[in-house]
Amino acid sequence: MPRHFLSVKKLMLISLLTLNMAACQSSDSQDTQQNTQQAAPKVDVVSLIPQTVTIKTELPARTVAFRQAEVRPQVNGIIQNRLFEEGADVKAGQQLYQIDEAPFQAALQMAKAELARARANIQSTKARAERFRGLIDNKAISQQDYDDAQAAYLQAQAEVSVAQANIQTAEINLRYTKVNAPIDGRIGRSTMTEGALVTAQQESPLTTITQTDPIYVDISQASKEVLRLRRQLLSGRVSEEDTAQVKLTLEDGSTYQHQGELQFSEVNVNEDTGSLVMRAKFPNPDGLLLPGMYVKTEINEGTMPDAILVPHKAVMFSREGTASVMLVNDDNIVEQRPIAVRHSIGHKWLVSDGLSGGEKVVVEGLQKIAVDSAVEIEIDTENSLQQAQE
């Protein structure tokens, strides 16, 4: 067989093998693409819709009496009677204690006697001064005698005024033997009994009266949160509407039936705690709230237009505490986006930075996807505030 014929046959065989290999590779590539398309995981997403949100903040607080008066004696003496029942409600002006008034009655009588003596003395000094006025004109007496007579008369007038003031003081002290309630409220236990010696303005009170309807609630808020809110108010991101209403949650988790009203906020920040105290006033007709109770308050900080809410289950947190979400772009490719969350509203996070309206956030199927992978959207739900509160 000629050599050139064998060479042609070899060339033909090599060409056939090459074509078969290319066909196989093309078939494998198509199968791989089909398998890739078939293997694209299905995910559920929510489409973010900007909406107006009422921003509410939960803060710890303590109840404080609306009024509290420590009752102390204003004169020295022995307590003769206690005229109230411990734990009862008392009215302003109601007598609580009776201090022995005998020494003060005697002091009043003495002051009245001093006034009578001063008035008697003024008559003689006045007559003497008038006589000396006629004599001085005739040079029958010296100028010194006349001056002494006038001074004696003026001194007698002053003594009358002093005696009158002493009577007023004695009457006041006599009234102080009746220790009265300065305010309406509920009275506490008595620290003194009948027969005890008390002194004016003593350090320990006889008892304490507390008024709890209405009642104050002192709320502590971190100064950095106050600063953030004020910046948002100034920038227009938050509008200040109906921010005066406050809701209360009691220690047992129940909601207090009456709403309170924010009264004022302290001007100075506590240097030790870095917090600012705000005070709210609540009606307390049933006496359910007692001073010193720990409660939680919910305050309306304002409304935020164009707010973005993201379901809790869509947000991932790193060990450092940074938050992120998985997005699906227009090409159905997964992207990871870091975000800043503010606080929780219902079952959703309020996002302050990182997301905008119209973007699609993955909420189901997170365990099946990776960054830059292709996915298929199975359910696309619009995100709303009503869903957040359900």
Side-chain angles (χ1 to χ4, degrees), residues 131-153:
R131 285 195 304 269
F132 277 29
R133 184 179 295 114
L135 294 175
I136 192 64
D137 294 337
N138 299 326
K139 303 297 183 179
I141 60 171
S142 66
Q143 184 66 39
Q144 183 64 49
D145 290 339
Y146 175 73
D147 292 341
D148 290 344
Q150 290 294 325
Y153 174 56

Side-chain angles (χ1 to χ4, degrees), residues 73-319:
Q74 293 178 279
V75 293
N76 303 334
I78 303 295
I79 294 179
Q80 289 184 324
N81 291 301
R82 191 192 79 190
L83 304 172
F84 67 92
E85 184 178 349
E86 293 174 322
D89 291 329
V90 296
K91 295 292 184 181
Q94 177 179 334
Q95 186 176 357
L96 306 176
Y97 297 92
Q98 177 61 58
I99 297 174
D100 185 12
E101 61 183 15
F104 302 97
Q105 287 177 338
L108 177 59
Q109 294 301 321
M110 183 179 295
K112 289 179 178 180
E114 290 291 340
L115 176 61
R117 183 169 62 182
R119 283 175 174 168
N121 185 44
I122 200 173
Q123 295 299 325
S124 64
T125 56
K126 181 180 179 181
R128 186 167 182 266
E130 289 176 351
R131 285 195 304 269
F132 277 29
R133 184 179 295 114
L135 294 175
I136 192 64
D137 294 337
N138 299 326
K139 303 297 183 179
I141 60 171
S142 66
Q143 184 66 39
Q144 183 64 49
D145 290 339
Y146 175 73
D147 292 341
D148 290 344
Q150 290 294 325
Y153 174 56
L154 294 176
Q155 185 177 357
Q157 288 180 316
E159 289 176 353
V160 170
S161 298
V162 170
Q164 289 174 337
N166 288 337
I167 289 175
Q168 290 180 346
T169 302
E171 289 174 343
I172 291 172
N173 288 336
L174 182 60
R175 287 198 301 269
Y176 282 163
T177 60
K178 299 181 186 335
V179 181
N180 299 327
I183 61 172
D184 295 345
R186 182 161 295 180
I187 196 166
R189 65 184 181 87
S190 175
T191 61
M192 297 288 181
T193 62
E194 291 86 346
L197 174 64
V198 295
T199 57
Q201 312 301 328
Q202 64 185 29
E203 183 177 353
S204 60
L206 299 177
T207 187
T208 301
I209 301 173
T210 305
Q211 192 176 102
T212 59
D213 183 26
I215 193 168
Y216 286 133
V217 175
D218 284 353
I219 308 162
S220 297
Q221 186 175 27
S223 58
K224 64 179 181 180
E225 291 295 322
V226 177
L227 182 62
R228 175 189 53 74
L229 175 61
R230 290 182 177 175
R231 281 178 175 170
Q232 290 183 340
L233 288 171
L234 291 173
S235 65
R237 293 187 62 189
V238 176
S239 59
E240 193 172 6
E241 298 177 1
D242 299 329
T243 57
Q245 297 300 315
V246 184
K247 294 182 180 179
L248 205 63
T249 302
L250 303 181
E251 290 177 305
D252 59 358
S254 61
T255 301
Y256 188 59
Q257 60 179 336
H258 301 288
Q259 280 196 347
E261 204 171 89
L262 203 59
Q263 298 290 296
F264 74 95
S265 176
E266 284 280 8
V267 177
N268 299 320
V269 176
N270 188 307
E271 296 179 0
D272 296 328
T273 62
S275 61
L276 199 68
V277 175
M278 298 178 291
R279 173 163 284 185
K281 185 170 72 172
F282 283 80
N284 190 27
D286 301 324
L288 187 61
L289 299 179
L290 299 175
M293 291 177 65
Y294 173 79
V295 293
K296 290 182 180 179
T297 56
E298 184 183 272
I299 302 175
N300 288 344
E301 291 188 353
T303 57
M304 178 182 286
D306 299 327
I308 297 295
L309 297 174
V310 176
H312 284 173
K313 59 184 178 181
V315 180
M316 300 173 292
F317 290 92
S318 66
R319 291 182 179 179

